[in-house]
Amino acid sequence: MIEVSSVEAAQCIRDGDTIAITGNGGGMLEADEIFAAIEARFLASGHPRDLTLVHALGVGDADRRGVNRFAHEGMVRRVVGGHWSWSPRMQKLARDNKIEAFTLPSGVISLLMRETGAKRPGLITRVGLNTAYDPRLGGGAANDAAKAARPISEIVTLGGEDYIRYLPIRPDIAIVRGTYCDELGNISCAEEAGDLDAHAVALAARNSGGRVLVQVREKRKSSDCIARLVQVPGVLVDQVVLAPNQPQTHVGGYEPSIAGVPHAAPAPDTKFAGLSLPSGARGIIARRAAGEIRAGQSVNFGFGIPGGIAAVLTAQARLKDIWLTVEQGIHNGQLIDGALFGAAAFPSAIMRSTDQFDFYSGGGVDIAFLGAGEIDAKGNVNVSRLGRDVVGPGGFVDISQGAKSVVFCGTFEASGLSVHASGGRLSIDKDGSIPKFVEDVREVTFCGPSALAKGQSVLYVTERAVFRLTKDGLTLVEVAPGIDAERQVLDRMAFRPQVASDLAAMDARCFVEDFGGDGGASLAKAGGGHA
């Protein structure tokens, strides 16, 4: 292990290199000082250029940090990313076909790094079958430049069943982050909000003949380091950059509780904030969705509207009754919403995200709550391509295909929708200008027919109506009190769904301002409405 400056680390990157990075939106495990040095070198000299960038999760702040550091024309040639929303500049390069833009499920990318590092023949998995990541349906190629490039996956048949083989990606450079290192280069993430896929990314580069660059806040003596807190052993590490001002997240400073320190009081100068009860349409959806949860279940919440469900459960004193996980490797705790989604205060365990994705793809989640951008008559869902932009699926595919039950949560329409609830009834103040129930989704991120074939329970919750996936397709099963089913639901859909013969009203308790306490518990016991 050699200690270098960020400028020196940036100098070791060559034109055409493949770079794999760690990180998560909000700055979790993001080596931004190294990223900034690489960016500065490119802006000054035009090098390194024609890079391939690989990242499993969204990395950045939707402005200048993270993946945004690489979003300059000529700097990158190809990006394989799990989630793109934190870098609008990279999204623009993809939209303009200035790069080859590939999206893959986040778990696929992280696990592919591990498989590459182990010299196995790529990642062979069912994750992605019959979605936009199936090589027969595009293979994750998200723009014309990617569609013209060499595929990154193929179908293989084992024991008479089809699988996707995601081909190995061999990084020339891995850039990861930790809290501190010792003299031997052992890296600990002890004060980070997550471990993510740091070990897998470093392993992939090291065993592919590449170099591993690590950014840490400080260097300690080996005698002051605990072996069990080492996430990346020194044998994998080539260069270490000390960044004394490295913040724990983009919020800044150090918050012990999100690093899993038990009984830690919030730092006095922190801007850290936990969950607040969702309001408006998001609050209605979160309340109704929370009614699907039973005590003892293993539960996953996705980013966006589903992230508000944890606050509802907290208000109802029900969070303690479930086992909560998110894809970043967090188990239980007080889930944080918004830009720091993926972290939690006082988690009971922080695992590698690779281990978490193994849990998901193996069917470890009883019920998952995920967002929905578009929904069609077959129950297909699109969250990965919205408007003109490449968004990517994040962990959506890994989670939705493995969970026993899935509840999709989203507003009935987008762009301009305004609603209010009063006295147990819903009123639509202004309709949204973009329909979300469409004839055919632009991109299949979740395949309804495949879910039916394997017996998954699938529900779609909006602020005004609830739908269930049945053998006859999407079926309307509940309508909000105060809503005209024909005029305000069915007439505003691009297709005519089935309508349940026992069409029910959504529980009126979803349409009140105070939904904590017994009301929420009673709704959960009642089964959340139509069964």
Side-chain angles (χ1 to χ4, degrees):
M1 182 272 292
I2 301 173
E3 186 178 325
V4 298
S5 68
S6 59
V7 172
E8 291 170 325
Q11 289 294 326
C12 78
I13 298 173
R14 304 160 300 181
D15 292 352
D17 273 354
T18 294
I19 301 177
I21 65 174
T22 60
N24 184 65
M28 183 191 296
L29 226 64
E30 180 182 302
D32 195 59
E33 188 159 319
I34 297 177
F35 299 162
I38 299 170
E39 179 186 39
R41 180 187 166 204
F42 175 81
L43 294 176
S45 68
H47 301 281
R49 61 185 302 107
D50 298 323
L51 302 172
T52 293
L53 183 67
V54 182
H55 61 95
L57 299 168
V59 186
D61 60 356
D63 183 17
R64 60 187 177 84
R65 293 184 281 202
V67 168
N68 297 286
R69 303 286 193 189
F70 298 86
H72 302 283
E73 188 172 343
M75 188 176 182
V76 291
R77 176 183 62 84
R78 168 181 288 197
V79 177
V80 181
H83 189 66
W84 291 57
S85 293
W86 292 111
S87 182
R89 291 193 297 175
M90 195 66 84
Q91 287 179 313
K92 185 177 188 305
L93 291 178
R95 189 168 64 240
D96 296 342
N97 277 291
K98 300 295 185 182
I99 60 173
E100 297 171 5
F102 285 91
T103 66
L104 291 178
S106 291
V108 164
I109 295 175
S110 291
L111 295 172
L112 181 58
M113 290 291 99
R114 184 187 70 189
E115 298 301 283
T116 298
K119 292 288 175 67
R120 289 189 278 265
L123 177 66
I124 298 173
T125 178
R126 292 187 178 89
V127 173
L129 283 173
N130 301 314
T131 72
Y133 312 102
D134 189 317
R136 299 165 296 194
L137 299 174
N143 64 357
D144 290 339
K147 291 172 185 176
R150 187 170 58 190
I152 60 175
S153 62
E154 65 183 15
I155 292 291
V156 296
T157 302
L158 300 172
E161 294 190 37
D162 286 347
Y163 295 81
I164 301 177
R165 176 192 174 219
Y166 295 94
L167 303 177
I169 297 176
R170 297 184 173 87
D172 301 292
I173 299 288
I175 303 176
V176 304
R177 195 184 99 177
T179 303
Y180 57 80
C181 71
D182 65 11
E183 300 98 329
L184 299 176
N186 293 308
I187 308 298
S188 173
C189 300
E191 296 181 6
E192 305 299 320
D195 297 342
L196 304 184
D197 53 0
H199 181 269
V201 167
L203 182 73
R206 173 65 170 75
N207 285 355
S208 296
R211 301 175 67 81
V212 177
L213 314 181
V214 185
Q215 177 183 309
V216 296
R217 192 185 68 208
E218 61 185 275
K219 184 177 179 181
R220 299 181 180 179
K221 295 180 179 179
S222 296
S223 58
D224 295 329
C225 298
I226 299 173
R228 285 194 176 275
L229 296 182
V230 169
Q231 279 72 38
V232 181
V235 69
L236 302 181
V237 177
D238 293 289
Q239 296 179 340
V240 171
V241 173
L242 293 182
N245 297 319
Q246 170 181 292
Q248 184 186 38
T249 67
H250 291 331
V251 170
Y254 168 57
E255 172 52 57
S257 67
I258 66 173
V261 177
H263 313 301
D269 59 347
T270 188
K271 298 176 183 177
F272 164 79
L275 294 171
S276 58
L277 277 169
S279 59
R282 189 182 190 221
I284 295 166
I285 296 166
R287 293 164 181 172
R288 172 60 187 87
E292 295 298 311
I293 297 173
R294 304 290 173 269
Q297 286 185 314
S298 164
V299 181
N300 169 270
F301 295 133
F303 180 68
I305 286 179
I309 300 171
V312 172
L313 294 176
T314 299
Q316 298 170 358
R318 296 174 56 209
L319 197 62
K320 66 183 184 304
D321 298 331
I322 65 170
W323 193 279
L324 169 65
T325 65
V326 290
E327 65 209 61
Q328 288 79 2
I330 306 302
H331 288 246
N332 298 319
Q334 180 187 342
L335 190 65
I336 300 174
D337 205 357
L340 284 183
F341 182 85
F346 308 110
S348 61
I350 299 177
M351 310 297 295
R352 293 172 177 169
S353 58
T354 46
D355 295 334
Q356 199 84 310
F357 281 117
D358 282 340
F359 176 69
Y360 291 152
S361 62
V365 170
D366 293 316
I367 187 166
F369 296 83
L370 302 168
E374 290 181 327
I375 301 163
D376 67 21
K378 297 177 181 177
N380 297 321
V381 177
N382 166 33
V383 298
S384 50
R385 179 177 289 275
L386 304 175
R388 299 174 59 209
D389 281 327
V390 175
V391 176
F396 179 99
V397 181
D398 312 86
I399 297 163
S400 66
Q401 287 192 208
K404 297 176 181 67
S405 297
V406 186
V407 179
F408 294 107
C409 304
T411 55
F412 185 78
E413 294 167 332
S415 187
L417 175 69
S418 177
V419 305
H420 74 272
S422 178
R425 297 172 66 84
L426 177 68
S427 296
I428 309 297
D429 301 320
K430 182 181 178 182
D431 290 314
S433 60
I434 299 177
K436 296 177 69 173
F437 287 83
V438 298
E439 192 68 39
D440 294 293
V441 296
R442 291 184 61 191
E443 191 166 276
V444 176
T445 330
F446 173 83
C447 180
S450 294
L452 277 177
K454 61 185 177 184
Q456 276 183 304
S457 170
V458 185
L459 202 68
Y460 309 77
V461 177
T462 77
E463 81 289 346
R464 71 184 71 177
V466 178
F467 302 83
R468 186 175 296 280
L469 186 58
T470 71
K471 60 181 178 58
D472 297 316
L474 208 68
T475 300
L476 177 64
V477 294
E478 295 178 28
V479 175
I483 293 298
D484 184 295
E486 194 70 35
R487 181 173 57 87
Q488 294 177 296
V489 178
L490 299 173
D491 287 352
R492 300 189 65 82
M493 300 173 69
F495 60 91
R496 183 84 179 185
Q498 300 296 314
V499 178
S501 59
D502 56 345
L503 181 64
M506 293 173 69
D507 195 293
R509 288 166 292 181
C510 296
F511 303 93
V512 295
E513 291 304 317
D514 181 10
F515 194 68
D518 179 66
S522 297
L523 178 59
K525 188 179 297 184
H530 186 96

